[in-house]
Amino acid sequence: DAGVIQSPRHEVTEMGQEVTLRCKPISGHDYLFWYRQTMMRGLELLIYFNNNVPIDDSGMPEDRFSAKMPNASFSTLKIQPSEPRDSAVYFCASSLVAVNQPQHFGDGTRLSIL
Amino acid sequence: AQSVTQPDIHITVSEGASLELRCNYSYGATPYLFWYVQSPGQGLQLLLKYFSGDTLVQGIKGFEAEFKRSQSSFNLRKPSVHWSDAAEYFCAGSGGYNKLIFGAGTRLAVHP
């Protein structure tokens, strides 16, 4: 079975550019989560969706960050404009039926902002 | 406030030795608890979960964890560590129908 698929795996771009990260959750999963992982702050939940609707975006650091889920099989996390401090590994995860159920993680996107 | 604490940032063990990674939680009710493992360059993989019932839960890769309400702990154990177990381990918890809270992680190194 296909797991959570993220693209790209690596992204290097210059400060000020727009960055779009993509995620395809596991088919049938109702919840989708976006996390950011850094050495300093660990694993942070940015936002999560239930049935394509954003439920909690309290972890989104600034207005420069936005996330969408236009359908059950696709989500994007966008940063515009990007800054060097946004450099991190971004993970997408999905889970069945409830927010407290086991989450299945993608392999992440390693983002470097120069 | 709800929290998950992993007291050990880094642990080193010899191959073949036993392992115990500590996790403490702070929840009012019986929490849902999880252990995940992350290998370099990869996402987190679920090792095991506890929802209710038997307090000793078995997971993949020979790992087990024990829920101890009196100590607010959910420690991960393995009787004999293999070099391939070197990775970062995350404990996570949820109280009721709330989102998961992850601990800061414990990085495991295995000496040959």
Side-chain angles (χ1 to χ4, degrees):
Chain A
D1 289 341
V4 175
I5 300 172
Q6 292 187 245
S7 65
R9 289 296 314 275
H10 303 273
E11 175 92 7
V12 180
T13 192
E14 293 188 346
M15 180 176 64
Q17 297 298 306
E18 178 178 289
V19 173
T20 300
L21 311 181
R22 297 172 176 82
C23 175
K24 176 179 170 57
I26 293 173
S27 177
H29 280 195
D30 294 333
Y31 285 81
L32 183 139
F33 306 83
W34 281 101
Y35 289 89
R36 178 172 68 176
Q37 186 178 40
T38 61
M39 290 292 292
M40 291 297 295
R41 301 174 68 91
L43 194 64
E44 303 173 274
L45 176 64
L46 300 178
I47 185 171
Y48 76 89
F49 295 82
N50 177 25
N51 291 324
N52 313 336
V53 176
I55 302 300
D56 184 348
D57 65 354
S58 60
M60 296 286 262
E62 300 172 36
D63 291 345
R64 299 184 296 105
F65 286 70
S66 62
K68 294 182 180 179
M69 192 165 185
N71 57 63
S73 60
F74 183 67
S75 177
T76 60
L77 178 67
K78 190 170 293 187
I79 308 172
Q80 167 62 19
S82 58
E83 296 183 5
R85 59 194 168 117
D86 301 331
S87 298
V89 181
Y90 291 81
F91 288 103
C92 177
S94 67
S95 71
L96 276 169
V97 301
V99 69
N100 57 1
Q101 295 299 302
Q103 295 179 17
H104 299 260
F105 282 75
D107 285 335
T109 295
R110 183 172 295 276
L111 177 64
S112 297
I113 308 297
L114 306 178
Chain B
Q2 298 177 345
S3 66
V4 173
T5 303
Q6 294 180 246
D8 304 306
I9 296 173
H10 191 275
I11 283 183
T12 301
V13 299
S14 298
E15 190 168 17
S18 63
L19 172 70
E20 183 168 24
L21 302 182
R22 296 185 292 163
C23 173
N24 295 104
Y25 65 88
S26 173
Y27 290 95
T30 298
Y32 294 174
L33 295 165
F34 308 84
W35 275 99
Y36 287 83
V37 60
Q38 183 181 27
S39 298
Q42 296 185 13
L44 280 68
Q45 180 186 20
L46 180 69
L47 285 175
L48 48 79
K49 61 183 184 286
Y50 172 77
F51 287 173
S52 64
D54 194 346
T55 57
L56 184 64
V57 294
Q58 302 297 320
I60 63 171
K61 305 186 180 189
F63 286 92
E64 66 178 26
E66 187 170 11
F67 172 70
K68 292 186 177 180
R69 184 189 302 277
S70 62
Q71 298 178 19
S72 297
S73 68
F74 187 58
N75 294 350
L76 182 71
R77 301 195 294 249
K78 187 169 185 178
S80 178
V81 171
H82 188 261
W83 63 266
S84 60
D85 293 324
E88 188 152 20
Y89 292 80
F90 293 90
C91 182
S94 169
Y97 289 96
N98 296 315
K99 57 192 177 186
L100 291 189
I101 296 175
F102 284 84
T106 298
R107 185 169 298 277
L108 173 67
V110 180
H111 276 178

